[in-house]
Every structure is written in structure tokens, then in C-alpha cells.
Amino acid sequence: MDLKDKGLLVVISAPAGCGKDTVIAELKKADDNVKQSISMTTRAPREGEADGVDYYFTTVENFENNISQDGFLEYVKYGVNYYGTPKKAIEENINEGKSVILKIEVEGAGNVRKIYPDAISVFIMPPSFSELSRRLRNRGTETEDDIERRLKIAETEMQRAKEYDYIVINDDLTACVNDVLSIIKAERLKYSNMKNIVEKIINN
Amino acid sequence: MDLKDKGLLVVISAPAGCGKDTVIAELKKADDNVKQSISMTTRAPREGEADGVDYYFTTVENFENNISQDGFLEYVKYGVNYYGTPKKAIEENINEGKSVILKIEVEGAGNVRKIYPDAISVFIMPPSFSELSRRLRNRGTETEDDIERRLKIAETEMQRAKEYDYIVINDDLTACVNDVLSIIKAERLKYSNMKNIVEKIINN
């Protein structure tokens, strides 16, 4: 699929505790042209979860049908439940010129780039490792073992920051959101994405 | 010279009548970290022109000394007068982390890229060719022949927009300035420019 002159696919990854969900929520609020890719799952909705908002909830049969029709950008099975990123909604949004945010693990980000080479990737980092450690401890919801395990994973993930196009630091939320908005704006102004517009200007 | 982890060199070109001087003036007002490269010339200052603001005014002897010491990014001689872009001020600003704007003709932009491969380049376009034609005529300072000649040059220049990294349209001045500021911000967030910061975050 050629993303040129269409919307952008924006892959966002971050270690746990870097506030990526808040950043993505603010991006959507700030720019109507920013949409988030919604995952599909076969697990039952939890209280407060709505179909088409938190997930697309579906049956195992339907999910497996989608797999066989190459309908997922990527999918995984945790225990008995499937989780996947449906291609259709992403492609529809991009064709309409929207930028689609895809929140994905570091491991999955590389695979997405193979399928959509024009995707841009953003890695959100904490202002420092010690600040990340402080944030995770302040949540107060996890055991010390869990926190240590998360910090270990975070360190491994941060070592892979070089695989991303852009690095954004979430120290101040507003600044972080503005950084990502600037990245999206700048990417849309690249010549490759402006080619048709340049032609129109010359001929009008 | 390696621009990584330093300021950016931002090459800006535009056909006559696209308002590039106003855009650059606004960029400097909006961001203290944006500096403009000041040319050096051997011509006499005109009324109202200040040394170090409009140009660095100098003698032919000094200018030719600079040439022999490879002190110019590029220079030309119009009649008896030299005009050149001194390397020193650009490099000092970039080493201090400033972004330096270099306003340059389409012809010269390619040469700058050869010397500074990390330079980013922005081409400013009018919203349409007919609007450019209208703007040039509204100035009321030139003959119809001059205007026709300028429009011919503008068309040739716009055909070379593809040589630039980014295309920005000057329809609304504020929007145009914000576009360039977003480009500068995004470029600074590229992994290659954030490498040292990423290392610091992991180790702190």
C-alpha cells in the first residue's frame, strides 16, 4: 500500500510508565485528523468498555476468518483470547487523509514497518530512568518484584530507541503532545507527501 | 562537519513574491534559537543598513582573503561587488545548538547540501501560480516585462521543488511560519539528533 498523498500511519511505542495512553488521548483531542487504531479481541468486554471504542469485540470464529483473509496487520493469542490490529479501519482512515496512531510494543513495531514502509515511528521516553522508576513506584499498584521486572523490560526497550524515527520525551505532557503534533505536521509537509499539491500549484 | 546533536542548518528558498523575508523575520521573532545567516559584501551600506544586521560590510581585500582561506559556503561577484555566505558564523551558531536559516537561490541550495549533507531544505510556494502573479502585479513597482520575466523564473524554480525536503505554502503567514517551526522541531526530534539524550536518559 502506498501511503503517499494519503494520511500517515504513526507507530507509537513507549516503556510502561511513560504515559503513552494519556499522550495519545491528548493527540486525538488536539487534532480531529488524528485517529487511533482500535484492536480487535475475542475476550469479553470488561465493565465500562464499549465496542468500537476500547476494542472491537468479536467471536473466535470471526477472528479466525479475519486471520485467514489476511485481515490483520499483526495478531497474538494470549491464553484462549486473540488480540489483533485490523487492517481495514487503518486503510480506510489513511485513504481519507487521517493520521492513524498505532500503539504497539517495541517487538511489533519493526514488523509494522516491514508491511508499511512509509509508517513513521515515535518512541516516547521518560525524562530519566530514575524518574521512570519513581513513577512506577508511585502507582502503588504493583509489588516490588513486578516493578523491578518492568524496569528491566523498560531498559531493554529503551536500548531499541534507535529503531525509531523520532524520540519524544514525556516530561511535560503538553510539550510532549506538541512534539508529536509537530512531527505529524512536518511529515505531511515532506515533498513526497506534497507532490500532488505542488503540481496543482504550478498549474493553477 | 557533523551537525548531529548540534543546531540545524535550514536552507530556505522561494520564488520572488512568496514572502520569504517576512516568513524568516517571523521565525526569528517566534523562536530565539532561530538565527539567520548574514551575508558578507564589499558593496557600500545603503541608507538604513547596519553592519552585522543586513550584511557584514567589508573590504575587497578582506573578502578575497576569506575566499583564499575557504571561508565562504558560497560566494558570487556581481559587477565589482562580492557577496558571500561566511562559514564561521554558521558553524558557531550550530555548535551552540541554534538553528541557522540560510536564505538562498534554488541554484545555490544544491551546492549547500553537498557541503552540509545534514542541512534540511524548505521550499516556500504560493497557494497558486495565479495568486503569485496577482501578488507580483499588486506590488506596482515593476514593468509588465519584469513581471513576466519573474513569473517565468518562478515557474522554473517551482519545477525544482522536488529537490527540497519540505514544501510549505505561504497562504496564511501565521500558518506558514508555524509549519516551518514544526519542521525545525521535528527534525531536532529525529533519533540521529537525540542519540546523546537517549544515552543520558538510560544512564540516569
Side-chain angles (χ1 to χ4, degrees), chain A residues 54-108:
Chain A
D54 301 287
Y55 283 98
Y56 295 111
F57 295 102
T58 191
T59 60
V60 171
E61 194 191 346
N62 186 37
F63 200 102
E64 289 178 342
N65 261 340
N66 264 342
I67 295 174
S68 65
Q69 286 161 30
D70 192 30
F72 291 107
L73 197 56
E74 48 87 46
Y75 72 92
V76 285
K77 197 173 185 183
Y78 286 130
V80 295
N81 293 316
Y82 282 112
Y83 295 83
T85 305
K87 280 185 189 172
K88 194 163 162 265
I90 292 178
E91 295 182 352
E92 280 171 0
N93 273 308
I94 286 172
N95 284 332
E96 284 171 23
K98 312 283 187 199
S99 295
V100 180
I101 306 277
L102 187 59
K103 185 182 76 174
I104 202 159
E105 301 302 305
V106 175
E107 206 52 63

Side-chain angles (χ1 to χ4, degrees), chain B residues 8-12 99-103 119-122 180 184:
Chain B
L8 300 170
L9 182 61
V10 184
V11 170
I12 295 190
S99 296
V100 180
I101 306 278
L102 186 60
K103 185 181 77 176
I120 62 163
S121 54
V122 177
V180 182
I184 294 173

Side-chain angles (χ1 to χ4, degrees), chain B residues 4 13 18 23 40 43 57 60 62 74 80 99 119 124 130 133 141-143 153 155 159 166 168 171 181 193 195-196:
Chain B
K4 307 294 184 210
S13 303
C18 290
V23 171
M40 188 175 279
R43 78 153 167 76
F57 296 101
V60 170
N62 186 37
E74 49 87 45
V80 295
S99 296
I124 302 177
S130 52
S133 158
T141 53
E142 284 160 286
T143 65
I153 295 172
E155 200 189 335
Q159 300 287 3
Y166 295 97
V168 161
D171 190 3
L181 290 172
N193 291 317
K195 207 153 58 175
N196 288 353

